[in-house]
C-alpha cells in the first residue's frame, strides 16, 4: 500500500510538473505581450528549480526523485525566451544568459563545486522562495 502511495505521488508530481507552465506559455503566445509578467520572478524560479535539480544530480539521487525539475527548468527557459522575444530584447542577451546559465549548472551538477557550496545554495532556496 505504501509503495502504491509513493508511486501515485511520483507520477502526479511528474504530471503536474509537465503541465504547470503550459497555460502561462500558451497565454503569452496568444497575447504576445509581457505586460504583467516579471522577468525577475521567472528568473528566481528558474534559479530555484535549477539548484534543486543540480543538488539532486550532484548527490547522485535517482532521477525518479526529481524528474519534474528538468521539465520545469525547460518550461522556465521557454518563458524567459518568449519574454525576451516579445519585449524585443531577444538576441545576444538571451544567448549570453543561456551560456552563463549552462556554465553554472554544469559546474554545480558536474561536481566542480565543493559539496558545502551546493548544500548552501540548496538551503538558501527557502529565502529565495519567500522572495518570489
Amino acid at each position: 500500500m505504501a509503495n502504491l502511495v509513493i508511486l501515485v505521488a511520483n507520477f502526479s508530481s511528474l504530471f503536474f510538473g509537465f503541465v504547470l507552465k503550459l497555460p502561462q506559455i500558451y497565454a503569452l503566445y496568444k497575447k504576445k505581450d509581457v505586460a504583467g509578467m516579471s522577468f525577475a520572478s521567472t528568473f528566481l524560479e528558474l534559479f530555484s528549480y535549477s539548484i534543486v535539480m543540480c543538488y539532486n544530480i550532484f548527490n547522485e539521487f535517482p532521477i525518479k526523485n526529481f524528474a519534474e525539475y528538468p521539465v520545469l527548468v525547460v518550461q522556465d527557459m521557454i518563458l524567459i525566451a518568449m519574454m525576451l522575444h516579445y519585449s524585443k530584447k531577444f538576441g545576444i542577451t538571451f544567448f549570453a544568459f543561456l551560456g552563463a546559465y549552462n556554465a553554472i549548472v554544469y559546474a554545480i551538477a558536474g561536481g566542480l563545486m565543493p559539496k558545502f557550496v551546493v548544500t548552501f545554495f540548496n538551503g538558501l532556496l527557502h529565502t529565495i522562495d519567500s522572495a518570489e
Side-chain angles (χ1 to χ4, degrees):
M1 181 64 175
N3 287 339
L4 179 63
V5 171
I6 291 171
L7 185 66
V8 168
N10 282 342
F11 279 116
S12 64
S13 176
L14 189 58
F15 171 76
F16 288 117
F18 269 101
V19 299
L20 180 68
K21 295 287 182 177
L22 293 181
Q24 190 175 14
I25 291 170
Y26 181 72
L28 181 59
Y29 173 75
K30 292 297 272 183
K31 193 168 73 166
K32 296 182 181 5
D33 183 20
V34 296
M37 296 188 70
S38 169
F39 180 79
S41 178
T42 306
F43 179 76
L44 281 174
E45 188 175 69
L46 173 65
F47 179 77
S48 177
Y49 292 152
S50 299
I51 291 296
V52 172
M53 179 182 72
C54 289
Y55 178 81
N56 283 285
I57 293 169
F58 183 88
N59 287 301
E60 299 178 355
F61 294 139
I63 187 72
K64 67 179 182 175
N65 291 0
F66 64 97
E68 70 274 13
Y69 285 99
V71 174
L72 292 170
V73 164
V74 168
Q75 290 177 6
D76 270 346
M77 290 295 272
I78 291 169
L79 271 176
I80 288 171
M82 290 175 74
M83 289 169 70
L84 290 171
H85 174 71
Y86 292 132
S87 64
K88 308 288 188 242
K89 295 178 183 171
F90 190 81
I92 193 70
T93 305
F94 176 73
F95 292 108
F97 164 76
L98 186 62
Y101 171 80
N102 285 329
I104 292 168
V105 166
Y106 179 78
I108 296 171
L112 300 176
M113 292 193 170
K115 185 171 182 147
F116 77 90
V117 173
V118 178
T119 304
F120 170 77
F121 277 122
N122 195 49
L124 186 67
L125 292 180
H126 298 293
T127 307
I128 293 171
D129 289 340
S130 298
E132 270 188 272

